[in-house]
Amino acid sequence: MSDTITLPAHLETLRGRVAELVAGRSADDPTAGDPLRGLYVTAETAHRLATAPPPAPGTDVFPAEPVDAFEALALRFGLDALDRQVLLAALAPDVDRRFEPLYGYLNDDVGRRRATVALALDLAGTGPHDPLARARFHPLAPLRAGGLLTLDDEDRPLPGRAVRVPERVVAHLLGDDALDPELVDQGVELLTDDASGDPASARDAPAPAGRIAALAAAGQPLLVHLRERREGTAAAPVTDALRAAGLPVLRHRPAASTADAATVTRALVREARLRRAVLVVGPLPSEPGPLVRSLATGDVPVVFFGSEPYDSGWAPDAGLLSLDAPYDRVDPAHTWHTELSRHTTEFAPDFDLGEAVAPYRLGEEQIRRAARSAAGHAAFDGTPPTAAHLQHSARLQSAPLLDRHARRIRPAVGFGDLVLPDEPLGLLHELTLRARHRDKVLGEWRLRTGGGRGRGVIALFAGDSGTGKTLSAEVVAGELGLDLYVVDLSAVVDKYIGETEKNLERIFVEADRTDAVLLFDEADAVFGKRSEVKSSHDRYANLESAYLLQRLEAFDGIAVLTTNLRANIDDAFTRRLDLVVDFPFPDVEQRVALWRTCLAGTPCSPDLEDELSSCAQEFELAGGAIRSAAVTAAYLAAGHGGPVSGADVRAGARREYRKMGRLEPGGSLPWQ
């Protein structure tokens, strides 16, 4: 028997009860035939109402065993016999209009066509004089706490207040399972059970997602908090496991809600009960206590997640179980390929998918969004998805808050722009290799030591100013398809004790969440050597260094430290570095190559090559100074309207020598 057939049967039973009540009242009502009845009260009617005896206790008109959607709803919300009769009385006018004039008659007011508290209790065989009956309308009683019933007319006494059933409950009983309108545009998404999924895959899901799905499918009480070390590592595995187990999921993002929080959570719990769904809620706000307590009902399975550490004060009596979400990624390349295949069947043949996405530490939910975005960008360009499409979309999933603490650089250079000896060049290639394969080596192969150490890759670039340290960091970021964030030390170092550490912690926290390369330029300003404590200043300076030593141990991102004087870096920091790359001062051949690279895009005179060799021998300039000299030469050429000549290059080189206060070859001192 379908739900839409059995509900009218309940209403017919109620209509019989209404008919009995109408007959009973009209039998001794002298105004029963008065066409103006309900618009005034006569003295005779007032006397009759004042002297009438209390009604006799009623009997339960509902069967003991659940047979339809109404009874299933009553069991789901913990309603007793009286609750069910009250709910049915309140529901009747929303389903059958014949109840409206009847209720108007019984309310003795033709304008009040909904059941009042008094009328609903009269139909149930009791009355508002019964304290237990009145208690069924308490805000914490099942009817109102479950969102099944609301009371209108706040200015009236309780017996005269109209009772109303929300439209979502009416729609559910009539077979309409559209999402509650109160939850639309409030950060709530309905994910139905995966009909194509294999229930065995839910059991085989990685812990704790598989265990959560098994408990929820068995109807066990479930209230879990999953703490994420990385965004997107908790929600997607749990959601997939629940759907594979045949359970609908209500995914709620609290930050996206714009309505009153109490209204949203009340509607959310009601929707979960109506659907027998599991709530997956997160990321949790900074003060999650009220949200957790409002959703911890005991009968609705809820999975909370977020980066906030568990606090026993959130819901001290609810039995909230806190677990760590797994950090290890399960074959991200396979996940990328699966998600991309949902949107496109054609792939560019010239890139390795696994290598392109290896630097990104995205959760499954982020990969889904990035794959959809990459497919959209590729369709817009009219090409199959390429590495550039994937990397652009993946970068968009990283936390943007790092922009507040560092300057972002979108890499526009590659290894072809570097002029370095083989050894430092090889170490830079090794750095990119470490960044791509750290999850496999440190996670899957378990080569990470204990002590809470992270999976970060940290390198020190040491060398004279202008030897290519910052450029190399940009090249590494570009090779990995990541953004480069340069930390502004002037905004980090603070004269007040402890503030520098707080500023650095904000940067490290955001860097852990962001797929990017973090550059500490002139790092010896904060990573310098500890000294013997001779004053309070020394003591606090050493505390700052101790904090950095501990923080680098737990760092999960990619960081590059640069210094002009390697000896200034504390040995304890050096031990924690994965690579130390020394950038030597360029020799003559390298200086010639640097001149050629810098002037590669400019129009040059035919005799320039000999002049470049001559300048490289005469002027001992580092790569940064050569680039500045090349820019000066280009401006001079643009000024006289011709190609870059040897004279322009030599003028640029002399300008750099003067800036450095050095004696020009065959010339005078810069101040003479």
Side-chain angles (χ1 to χ4, degrees), residues 531-547:
S531 60
E532 181 182 353
V533 177
K534 297 181 179 179
S535 66
S536 59
H537 175 78
D538 296 334
R539 177 173 178 268
Y540 287 112
N542 288 345
L543 285 176
E544 180 182 308
S545 297
Y547 156 77

Side-chain angles (χ1 to χ4, degrees), residues 25 107 115-123 126-128 137 158-161:
R25 290 190 182 182
N107 285 326
T116 61
V117 171
L119 177 55
L121 294 179
D122 284 342
L123 290 172
T126 181
F137 297 91
L158 179 64
R161 297 185 66 178

Side-chain angles (χ1 to χ4, degrees), residues 166 197 486 576 645 650:
V486 182
R576 288 162 171 79
S645 65
R650 185 168 291 276

Side-chain angles (χ1 to χ4, degrees), residues 103-139:
Y103 281 3
Y105 176 85
L106 294 175
N107 285 326
D108 203 22
D109 185 343
V110 294
R112 307 195 70 200
R113 297 192 165 202
R114 286 193 174 274
T116 61
V117 171
L119 177 55
L121 294 179
D122 284 342
L123 290 172
T126 181
H129 59 280
D130 184 349
L132 294 179
R134 293 175 69 101
R136 310 317 297 169
F137 297 91
H138 191 278

Side-chain angles (χ1 to χ4, degrees), residues 324-549:
D324 288 331
Y327 179 78
D328 293 326
R329 300 182 297 164
V330 181
D331 195 3
H334 175 73
T335 305
W336 273 97
H337 188 275
T338 301
E339 295 302 324
L340 281 170
S341 299
R342 298 178 187 271
H343 307 285
T344 182
T345 57
E346 189 178 4
F347 298 93
D350 58 344
F351 80 98
D352 184 338
L353 177 62
E355 183 175 336
V357 301
Y360 300 97
R361 300 167 297 158
L362 302 180
E364 291 186 32
E365 187 172 355
Q366 292 174 304
I367 291 177
R368 287 172 184 161
R369 295 197 298 264
R372 183 168 59 248
S373 175
H377 279 87
F380 181 81
D381 293 338
T383 65
T386 64
H389 292 130
L390 268 63
Q391 291 171 348
H392 173 75
S393 300
R395 284 198 300 266
L396 295 179
Q397 301 303 317
S398 294
L401 297 179
L402 196 56
D403 286 324
R404 301 178 184 177
H405 312 291
R407 176 171 54 90
R408 181 173 65 177
I409 296 175
R410 287 286 173 85
V413 291
F415 275 102
D417 298 294
L418 289 179
V419 177
L420 290 172
D422 292 340
E423 182 177 352
L425 199 60
L427 290 175
L428 293 178
H429 281 289
E430 182 182 340
L431 178 58
T432 62
L433 185 112
R434 284 174 176 262
R436 283 196 175 100
H437 300 292
R438 53 186 166 144
D439 281 335
K440 175 183 288 187
V441 173
L442 300 179
E444 184 180 340
W445 294 352
R446 297 182 176 275
L447 287 179
R448 182 178 57 164
T449 56
R453 289 176 172 83
R455 301 183 182 183
V457 177
I458 306 170
L460 174 66
F461 291 176
D464 293 339
S465 178
T467 51
K469 302 184 293 298
T470 303
L471 179 65
S472 296
E474 185 178 349
V475 167
V476 168
E479 182 71 13
L480 295 172
L482 304 176
D483 288 335
L484 177 68
Y485 281 89
V486 182
V487 177
D488 184 1
L489 294 182
S490 65
V492 171
V493 179
D494 197 295
K495 65 179 180 179
Y496 294 104
I497 294 171
E499 290 302 313
T500 300
E501 290 88 333
K502 291 180 181 179
N503 294 335
L504 286 168
E505 179 63 20
R506 295 188 190 100
I507 293 173
F508 278 120
V509 168
E510 294 304 329
D512 279 338
R513 298 175 181 173
T514 305
D515 288 319
V517 176
L518 194 63
L519 175 63
F520 289 92
D521 209 359
E522 307 295 342
D524 40 344
V526 288
F527 295 88
K529 286 189 173 183
R530 289 168 289 183
S531 60
E532 181 182 353
V533 177
K534 297 181 179 179
S535 66
S536 59
H537 175 78
D538 296 334
R539 177 173 178 268
Y540 287 112
N542 288 345
L543 285 176
E544 180 182 308
S545 297
Y547 156 77
L548 285 168
L549 288 169

